[in-house]
Amino acid sequence: MKYYLIVANLGKNQGLPIPIKVDLFLIGSDPICQVRSRMAGVGAQHCAIVSRERKVFLRDLDSSQDTILNGTALPAGAEWPLHPGDRLRVGPLEFMVQFHERALSQRDLEEWALRCLDVTREQEIQDPDEIISKSYTNAADAAASILDMLQSKRGIVKGRLRIGRDGRVTVVRFNDVCLVEEGEVGLAKKELFEVVQPNLRVLLDCKNVRRMSSVAAEMISEFAQKLNKVGSNCAICRVRPELKSILTAYHVLDKIAYYDDKTVAIASAW
């Protein structure tokens, strides 16, 4: 079993998987720690992840700073078992705890880590008022409605894409971290172009994409043109700042609307 901390903080390191390779894995500001930070709220030797008999535990090291697990502070010096999906906060640092059965390549590992974070976000109900406002004859009908809504928002994973609906918008999210090589872009393009139909509003979500080539930019531009030809519209959201220059250079953002925020994109007219 492989154990990881996945960086959950917003920022350039979000989704970074940190392997836990030792039986005593220290987090704190001390140079001896495997994860080090001098930020306020992080103790010298703040806490430890302890591997013992194929189980994993979180131990507070009584640094006078709180160790927060799933929103609750551990008692000073206490040890607590960890489970997949647990959330750990050390000062301003936030992590998700995850396990994986086998070793992965760095690229596959990064994609897996990002998907772990995405699943937990998408399991949260986005529109609770919509559910509360409806009346149901029994609890089973209410539960079925909630599950249907979540599944619709979560979408269907199809190879390199996740395709879902949010209101009248078809949301297409790239699963790949890298859209660089012609081969991998070609596979994504084949699946993407199968989405083309008349009278659609398609939002391309690039949240997962960390690297993008000119070939990928040209693919997005061509996709938008094909949609326009059949009377559909296209927008794009959540492109990393360092990748926007590529889309700008290839005039992609001259042809389709861009939004930093997915919710704003869905609510906007384009």
Side-chain angles (χ1 to χ4, degrees):
M1 183 77 72
K2 306 292 182 182
Y3 308 111
Y4 297 91
L5 289 180
I6 301 173
V7 177
N9 292 79
L10 294 176
K12 65 179 182 180
N13 290 324
Q14 185 183 45
L16 177 69
I18 303 171
I20 300 171
K21 298 181 178 180
V22 293
D23 292 340
L24 185 65
F25 185 95
L26 297 173
I27 301 173
S29 60
D30 195 298
I32 198 174
C33 296
Q34 281 80 12
V35 171
R36 294 181 295 277
S37 173
R38 296 183 179 274
M39 298 177 73
V42 180
Q45 294 183 24
H46 193 117
C47 62
I49 296 176
V50 182
S51 302
R52 185 173 64 245
E53 298 177 352
R54 295 182 61 80
K55 295 181 181 179
V56 184
F57 304 86
L58 175 65
R59 182 186 300 166
D60 180 85
L61 297 179
D62 199 9
S63 68
S64 79
Q65 302 286 350
D66 284 342
T67 300
I68 309 296
L69 181 63
N70 297 327
T72 301
L74 265 65
E79 186 174 277
W80 204 259
L82 289 174
H83 304 92
D86 281 349
R87 293 287 187 135
L88 167 62
R89 182 155 59 85
V90 177
L93 307 178
E94 296 183 16
F95 305 94
M96 174 188 281
V97 179
Q98 275 295 356
F99 307 161
H100 203 282
E101 289 289 346
R102 58 187 178 83
L104 297 172
S105 68
Q106 185 61 31
R107 174 178 162 182
D108 289 343
L109 184 60
E110 290 175 358
E111 292 185 2
W112 166 76
L114 284 168
R115 286 197 298 270
C116 288
L117 292 179
D118 288 342
V119 165
T120 57
R121 291 193 194 96
E122 290 169 356
Q123 285 174 343
E124 297 175 358
I125 297 174
Q126 300 292 325
D127 301 306
D129 292 339
E130 177 182 338
I131 296 171
I132 294 170
S133 65
K134 295 181 180 179
S135 59
Y136 301 97
T137 57
N138 54 55
D141 289 343
S145 177
I146 292 170
L147 289 173
D148 287 345
M149 189 191 75
L150 287 175
Q151 183 59 43
S152 174
K153 287 182 177 293
R154 194 175 304 158
I156 299 171
V157 177
K158 180 181 178 182
R160 295 172 179 266
L161 307 175
R162 181 185 290 274
I163 303 173
R165 292 279 297 178
D166 198 318
R168 296 182 179 180
V169 177
T170 299
V171 181
V172 178
R173 190 174 70 204
F174 294 103
N175 291 330
D176 286 325
V177 173
C178 299
L179 287 172
V180 177
E181 298 178 4
E182 287 193 25
E184 60 193 7
V185 174
L187 291 172
K189 180 177 179 178
K190 181 179 182 297
E191 295 172 5
L192 183 61
F193 280 33
E194 291 175 358
V195 177
V196 176
Q197 293 181 27
N199 304 316
L200 289 181
R201 296 180 68 214
V202 180
L203 177 63
L204 297 179
D205 186 355
C206 295
K207 175 184 176 297
N208 291 340
V209 181
R210 296 191 173 194
R211 295 181 59 202
M212 181 185 295
S213 67
S214 59
V215 177
E218 290 172 350
M219 172 190 69
I220 293 171
S221 179
E222 187 178 345
F223 175 68
Q225 290 174 3
K226 282 188 174 292
L227 284 176
N228 288 336
K229 287 180 180 178
V230 298
S232 296
N233 294 322
C234 183
I236 190 168
C237 70
R238 300 201 287 188
V239 178
R240 292 175 178 267
E242 60 270 25
L243 302 182
K244 286 178 68 175
S245 60
I246 298 174
L247 297 180
T248 301
Y250 283 82
H251 305 288
V252 176
L253 300 185
D254 296 341
K255 303 171 184 176
I256 61 178
Y258 171 75
Y259 300 89
D260 287 319
D261 184 81
K262 177 183 173 184
T263 303
V264 172
I266 291 170
S268 299
W270 36 271

